[in-house]
Amino acid sequence: CVTSSFELKLALPMFRAAALSVLFALAFDAGAQTRPDGNWQGTMERQGAALTVRFDFHTQASAVAGRFTSETQRAMEYPLDEVMWATSALHWKLGDSLVFDGVVSPRAITGTFLDGKEQGTFSLHPVKLDPPPYRREEVTFRNGDVALAGTLLCPRTPGLHPGIVFLHRPFAYSA
């Protein structure tokens, strides 16, 4: 096969365009892998003390939401505040004082957190969870213009069970 220099000059830009398309596709795919969706378990460490924790993230309509669980702290699926994600950077708040900044990869979310003026580190890894022993049901009660929303966590086992009400955040009310 004999190729003229003119044919090579025409083929070279096409080859470059194809190579750039492949690189773009690979970069786009790698970016998609850094999405934080899923269950992440690991430790938070501060001043030599370690705490086992789990964070569950999910994306809805391009916004990331999440929940915090720590069995040793008796915290179950506590909603996260102000979750922000861009490429591989993940930032969120937990309650009034904990602020997290991390980097997401397919195998880990690692970073630092601030608890007031105290700083610590965290390291989380993806985990598969067994279904919880309860089912989740979102509910809303309305009375005129006022709406009270919440989450029912109902045991999967038959029979009567005690009920508990948790108020996660302080709120103002008038009597």
Side-chain angles (χ1 to χ4, degrees), residues 32-75:
Q33 293 176 0
T34 61
R35 186 177 217 130
D37 290 357
N39 306 301
W40 300 83
Q41 186 168 312
T43 57
M44 292 172 55
E45 295 184 24
R46 187 182 70 197
Q47 297 180 342
L51 176 66
T52 300
V53 295
R54 189 183 84 229
F55 290 92
D56 305 312
F57 296 101
H58 62 278
T59 304
Q60 292 180 340
S62 75
V64 178
R67 297 186 181 276
F68 165 76
T69 296
S70 175
E71 292 180 13
T72 58
Q73 298 297 304
R74 301 212 185 337

Side-chain angles (χ1 to χ4, degrees), residues 5-24:
S5 63
F6 178 74
E7 290 173 323
L8 285 175
K9 285 181 184 176
L10 286 176
L12 192 56
M14 292 171 56
F15 175 76
R16 284 186 184 151
L20 286 173
S21 295
V22 169
L23 288 174
F24 179 77

Side-chain angles (χ1 to χ4, degrees), residues 14-15 25 30 45 57 81 85 92-93 96 106 124 141 143 163:
M14 292 171 56
F15 175 76
E45 295 184 24
F57 296 101
D81 301 302
W85 171 69
W92 71 93
K93 290 184 178 181
D96 293 330
L124 308 169
F141 302 95
N143 184 3

Side-chain angles (χ1 to χ4, degrees), residues 23-35 85 87-88 104-106:
L23 288 174
F24 179 77
L26 289 173
F28 183 79
D29 187 46
Q33 293 176 0
T34 61
R35 186 177 217 130
W85 171 69
T87 312
S88 63
V104 182
S105 75

Side-chain angles (χ1 to χ4, degrees), residues 7 9 43 48 52 68 75 90 106 111 113 116 122 147 151 154-155 157 160 165:
E7 290 173 323
K9 285 181 184 176
T43 57
T52 300
F68 165 76
L90 185 62
F113 67 91
F122 66 91
T151 305
C154 303
T157 57
L160 297 175
V165 175

